[in-house]
């Protein structure tokens, strides 16, 4: 699972949706892999407004990336984002992925396994 | 006749493939929407591959058709007439101003006949009759600077003379070659319900997928729609309740399909989940949702939960460990109604699509049943197009919706969901919940 995807993932349990503790889910025992993919500045610029920055900071820190700015970069027409900022974001959001590990809900503590990069969000009967 | 500059308005001949007829106009309209091009339809019929449209410029014409799957090409229309005499008369009078700009350019001349056939010598004779254009460039079959097409349309295969003849100069060809590139026969990883390449690509066009956008398929299966969306540059995300589908086996998986087509850079993720218990946060971040929901004939329509509503709602522990954390655990699933699933998809789309984002999904129906009323609706989704693919006794429709602008007005839209939800609390079978499945297995007998 890529870091970008994790920014859109919350606990699948319906009762957790209203709790602020259920997002972001917390990575545990994560095995990280860096895989180079094509850089697309347009995509990063376009996705930035749709990112929950505070959650991204939490996720990144849990995986050992602590160099994100505290505030989301706000590009303007006069001051667009620099190439390096975009490339750093690209590297974190699209090239960093968790191949093995767990995602844990901070509200209900339910554990979702990640295996071969694919997370499983199916719920047992008692949580449906 | 219009002026002839690159940025002058132009009347164009669109040469369509004579297949999936009800999708053709909707596909070009979708591409018009994507590129902000106003397509004015002057002449169109499902029975003809030839259509005439008006556009603001030749530049727009090239852009519009460039990634169309159903348009083979777009041409400046130099003339259309019921026979050759009339055509030549028209072309001589109305296109003479164009001729000087054609001088010294290499060219080729084609003759194509719809519902008819022309021998090599007949084709030459037809081409020679255009000698008055005075083209003096060299003839180049491989890389001509200009391509002229003479198109003939015959009413049927038995008549001798064409009913319409056209002369056009090629502006751009479409992307029908992709149908071959993405042919399922050549794809490494497919399943019994993989969408064929042509309709998958058409769906991706209807969904307005483009570079920088995100598309999601909640019933991803082997990833047919996602590779089509990524072909047009979109970043893609997929999930399925059946983890085996996403993971694949022996190196064949959704990911390996992306590798095969060189599209790995735009594949975001695949995960295992159920749309009725989605882990996706309720935020409007998707540009497109494309899917062919399971309707229960080949793959039973199931969602999470136990078939028996009385079943214990306590976590199951085995060998002192939570069962669901153990390897090989498969959560219980219960049959679900197709109509309820459609409502869930619409609500999901309203919750997750950006303004103007598109929902495209396929819906099967028994032919005798269908009326416009059967198209599911949602107050935040506007119906853009309904296109039908006919089979013998049933058909399927590609429904396309656009997410209206503004914030959600209504939390829960569907009253139908409430009606359907009630009987589902009892034990039910797949057939009781799914009339299409029932009819399919009964062979679509008329209702007595």
């Amino acid at each position: 699972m890529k870091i970008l995807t994790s920014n859109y993932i919350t606990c699948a349990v319906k009762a957790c949706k209203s709790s602020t503790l259920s997002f972001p889910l917390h990575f545990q025992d994560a095995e990280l892999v860096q895989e180079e993919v094509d850089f697309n500045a347009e995509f990063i610029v376009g996705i930035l407004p749709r990112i929950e920055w505070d959650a991204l900071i939490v996720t990144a820190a849990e995986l050992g990336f602590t160099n994100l700015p505290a505030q989301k970069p706000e590009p303007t027409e006069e001051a667009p984002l620099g190439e390096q900022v975009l490339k750093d974001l690209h590297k974190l959001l699209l090239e960093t992925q968790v191949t093995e590990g767990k995602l844990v809900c901070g509200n209900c503590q339910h554990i979702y396994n990640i295996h071969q990069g694919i997370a499983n969000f199916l719920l047992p009967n008692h949580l449906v | 006749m219009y002026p002839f500059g690159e940025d002058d308005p132009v009347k164009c001949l669109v040469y369509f493939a004579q297949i999936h007829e009800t999708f053709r106009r909707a596909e070009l309209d979708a591409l018009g929407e994507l590129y902000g091009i106003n397509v004015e339809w002057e002449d169109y019929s499902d029975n003809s591959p030839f259509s005439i449209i008006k556009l603001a410029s030749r530049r727009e014409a090239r852009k519009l058709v460039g990634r169309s799957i159903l348009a083979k090409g777009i041409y400046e229309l130099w003339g259309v007439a019921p026979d050759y005499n009339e055509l030549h008369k028209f072309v001589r009078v109305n296109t003479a101003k164009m001729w000087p700009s054609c001088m010294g350019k290499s060219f080729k001349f084609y003759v194509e006949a719809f519902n008819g056939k022309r021998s090599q010598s007949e084709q030459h004779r037809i081409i020679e009759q255009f000698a008055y254009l005075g083209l003096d460039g060299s003839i180049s079959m491989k890389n001509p600077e200009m391509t002229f097409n003479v198109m003939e349309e015959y009413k049927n295969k038995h008549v001798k003379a064409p009913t319409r003849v056209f002369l056009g100069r090629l502006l751009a060809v479409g992307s029908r070659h992709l149908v071959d590139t993405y042919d399922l026969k050549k794809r490494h990883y497919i399943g019994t319900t993989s969408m064929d390449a042509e309709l998958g690509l058409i769906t991706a066009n209807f969904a307005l997928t483009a570079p920088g956008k995100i598309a999601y398929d909640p019933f991803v299966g082997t990833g047919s729609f996602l590779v089509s969306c990524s072909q047009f540059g979109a970043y893609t995300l997929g999930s399925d309740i059946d983890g085996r589908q996403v993971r694949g086996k022996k190196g064949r998986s959704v990911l390996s399909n992306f590798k095969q087509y060189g599209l790995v850079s735009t594949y975001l993720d695949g995960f295992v989940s159920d749309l009725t218990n989605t882990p996706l946060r309720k935020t409007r971040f998707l540009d497109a949702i494309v899917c062919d929901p399971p309707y229960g004939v080949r793959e039973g329509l199931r969602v999470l939960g136990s078939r028996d509503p009385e079943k214990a709602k306590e976590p199951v522990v085995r060998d002192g460990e939570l069962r669901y954390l153990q390897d090989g655990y498969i959560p219980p699933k219960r049959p679900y109604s197709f109509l309820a699933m459609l409502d869930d998809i619409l609500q999901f789309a309203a919750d997750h699509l950006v303004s103007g984002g598109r929902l495209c999904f396929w819906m099967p129906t028994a032919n005798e049943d269908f009326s416009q009323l059967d198209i599911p609706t949602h107050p935040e989704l506007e119906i853009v197009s309904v296109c039908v693919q006919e089979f013998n006794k049933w058909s399927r429709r590609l429904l396309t919706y656009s997410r209206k602008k503004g914030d959600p007005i209504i939390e829960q839209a569907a009253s139908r969901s409430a009606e359907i939800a009630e009987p589902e609390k009892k034990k039910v079978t797949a057939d009781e919940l799914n009339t299409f499945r029932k009819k399919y297995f009964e062979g679509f007998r008329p209702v007595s």
Side-chain angles (χ1 to χ4, degrees):
Chain A
M1 170 169 289
K2 293 185 164 72
I3 306 305
L4 176 63
T5 309
S6 75
N7 201 251
Y8 299 105
I9 296 282
T10 176
C11 186
V13 176
K14 287 200 174 95
C16 287
K17 302 280 184 197
S18 56
S19 165
T20 52
L21 295 171
S22 66
F23 176 75
L25 297 179
H26 304 287
F27 282 110
Q28 276 182 11
D29 309 329
E31 280 177 34
L32 285 175
V33 168
Q34 291 275 347
E35 196 170 32
E36 215 172 288
V37 297
D38 298 341
F39 172 60
N40 180 342
E42 185 194 0
F43 178 69
I44 302 294
V45 171
I47 199 69
L48 199 54
R50 305 185 205 172
I51 284 178
E52 199 66 54
W53 192 258
D54 293 344
L56 181 65
I57 289 180
V58 172
T59 303
E62 285 173 357
L63 297 173
F65 305 97
T66 51
N67 51 358
L68 279 177
Q71 300 295 323
K72 190 197 291 201
E74 300 282 355
T76 58
E77 246 171 69
E78 300 82 51
L81 292 182
E83 171 112 343
Q84 197 51 50
V85 177
L86 291 172
K87 283 200 162 151
D88 288 347
L89 281 169
H90 167 78
K91 192 165 184 177
L92 177 69
L93 296 172
L94 294 175
E95 295 190 337
T96 310
Q97 41 184 313
V98 175
T99 52
E100 300 287 330
K102 301 181 177 103
L103 276 168
V104 183
C105 173
N107 189 48
C108 72
Q109 312 306 321
H110 189 73
I111 296 170
Y112 301 97
N113 284 318
I114 300 170
H115 185 48
Q116 292 176 350
I118 296 170
N120 186 339
F121 296 100
L122 297 186
L123 298 169
N125 192 41
H126 70 278
L127 292 175
V128 175
Chain B
M1 197 74 185
Y2 290 112
F4 307 115
E6 183 69 8
D7 287 313
D8 290 322
V10 63
K11 203 183 256 202
C12 294
L13 169 66
V14 179
Y15 181 23
F16 282 113
Q18 194 59 28
I19 189 171
H20 302 313
E21 290 84 355
T22 66
F23 293 71
R24 302 186 303 182
R25 207 157 25 158
E27 192 200 32
L28 281 199
D29 282 336
L31 293 172
E33 172 80 25
L34 175 65
Y35 295 125
I37 294 170
N38 181 39
V39 182
E40 197 181 320
W41 295 88
E42 189 175 289
D43 183 71
Y44 176 87
S45 161
D46 276 350
N47 301 318
S48 169
F50 305 112
S51 164
I52 296 167
I53 62 175
K54 282 187 201 159
L55 295 169
S57 72
R58 285 160 176 77
R59 213 180 297 279
E60 285 193 349
R62 292 193 183 90
K63 210 167 183 185
L64 181 72
V65 163
R67 63 176 246 194
S68 169
I69 301 301
L70 290 170
K72 294 179 181 177
I74 188 164
Y75 303 81
E76 287 170 338
L77 182 62
W78 280 37
V80 49
D83 57 49
Y84 277 107
N85 273 342
E86 293 291 318
L87 181 67
H88 288 302
K89 226 186 271 174
F90 184 90
V91 170
R92 275 174 192 274
V93 173
N94 291 284
T95 69
K97 280 186 193 155
M98 292 287 277
W99 304 351
S101 70
C102 297
M103 296 307 131
K105 286 185 179 161
S106 63
F107 70 96
K108 74 175 166 185
F109 235 98
Y110 259 126
V111 179
E112 289 194 54
F114 173 68
N115 267 342
K117 230 177 193 170
R118 288 288 194 181
S119 67
Q120 203 81 16
S121 59
E122 284 177 309
Q123 289 186 24
H124 280 146
R125 196 176 47 77
I126 290 168
I127 292 169
E128 275 157 19
Q129 285 170 351
F130 287 94
Y132 58 84
L133 297 177
L135 301 177
D136 62 357
S138 59
I139 293 172
S140 160
M141 293 317 280
K142 272 211 174 121
N143 253 325
E145 288 168 83
M146 299 183 296
T147 301
F148 288 91
N149 272 48
V150 181
M151 315 267 201
E152 298 184 327
E153 181 177 30
Y154 295 76
K155 209 172 197 146
N156 56 53
K157 293 205 163 69
H158 311 293
V159 294
K160 285 268 172 332
T163 43
R164 274 200 298 181
V165 284
F166 302 84
L167 176 67
R169 185 167 69 164
L170 182 69
L171 287 167
V173 293
S175 283
R176 278 196 76 69
H177 64 279
L178 292 176
V179 175
D180 183 54
T181 310
Y182 285 88
D183 190 344
L184 290 183
K185 289 193 197 105
K186 302 182 214 162
R187 191 175 302 169
H188 293 156
Y189 180 56
I190 58 169
T192 50
T193 57
S194 296
M195 180 60 68
D196 76 65
E198 184 169 16
L199 292 170
L201 289 158
I202 291 168
T203 308
N205 270 341
F206 277 52
L208 312 184
T209 51
K213 291 188 174 183
I214 302 182
Y216 171 56
D217 181 350
F219 307 96
V220 67
T222 58
S224 294
F225 285 125
L226 294 194
V227 289
S228 301
C229 293
S230 278
Q231 159 62 37
F232 297 126
Y235 283 72
T236 50
L237 200 56
S239 69
D240 205 291
I241 194 169
D242 184 355
R244 293 168 302 181
Q245 296 259 348
V246 186
R247 285 188 293 270
K249 59 179 172 189
K250 293 178 184 160
R252 290 167 187 245
S253 63
V254 175
L255 179 61
S256 81
N257 280 343
F258 277 84
K259 285 185 180 151
Q260 180 185 350
Y261 299 122
L263 299 170
V264 174
S265 288
T266 50
Y267 179 49
L268 290 177
D269 262 308
F271 53 89
V272 187
S273 79
D274 167 21
L275 189 72
T276 64
N277 289 277
T278 181
L280 287 175
R281 188 157 61 85
K282 194 170 167 181
T283 181
R284 293 171 58 191
F285 75 105
L286 297 170
D287 296 285
I289 297 167
V290 285
C291 60
D292 183 16
Y295 40 88
V297 176
R298 281 187 188 276
E299 64 308 71
L301 174 49
R302 289 172 178 275
V303 297
L304 287 175
S306 172
R307 188 182 274 270
D308 180 359
E310 307 302 319
K311 196 130 184 185
K313 286 281 184 183
E314 293 300 315
V316 178
V317 176
R318 187 188 285 180
D319 304 331
E321 207 185 333
L322 281 167
R323 177 70 186 104
Y324 71 82
L325 289 178
Q326 294 171 336
D327 279 347
Y329 170 74
I330 297 166
K333 300 183 189 81
R334 64 187 172 101
Y336 198 58
S337 137
F338 185 65
L339 293 179
M341 180 59 89
L342 293 184
D343 285 335
D344 292 343
I345 293 169
L346 263 56
Q347 186 60 48
F348 179 87
D351 290 340
H352 291 87
L353 283 176
V354 299
S355 294
R358 289 230 166 155
L359 165 66
C360 296
F361 69 88
W362 287 82
M363 185 175 96
T365 37
N367 285 346
E368 82 255 17
D369 283 1
F370 191 78
S371 70
Q372 287 287 320
L373 290 174
D374 292 329
I375 298 171
T377 57
H378 189 285
E380 281 150 24
L381 301 173
E382 187 181 340
I383 295 170
V384 176
S385 61
V386 178
C387 299
V388 60
Q389 182 189 22
E390 302 275 2
F391 296 99
N392 193 10
K393 289 184 171 167
W394 64 288
S395 54
R396 59 178 178 177
R397 283 165 173 74
L398 173 59
L399 306 186
T400 301
Y401 300 79
S402 174
R403 175 69 168 86
K404 291 180 188 169
K405 294 194 169 38
D407 290 325
I409 329 153
I410 300 160
E411 195 61 24
Q412 268 299 333
S415 55
R416 194 162 58 180
S417 290
E419 283 167 35
I420 298 161
E422 204 44 44
E424 272 174 29
K425 288 181 183 143
K426 300 182 216 112
K427 266 192 187 180
V428 281
T429 66
D431 273 0
E432 285 173 90
L433 287 173
N434 192 334
T435 49
F436 179 77
R437 177 194 165 94
K438 188 160 178 276
K439 290 202 168 159
Y440 187 95
F441 284 117
E442 285 174 353
F444 297 104
R445 278 197 300 267
V447 194
S448 50

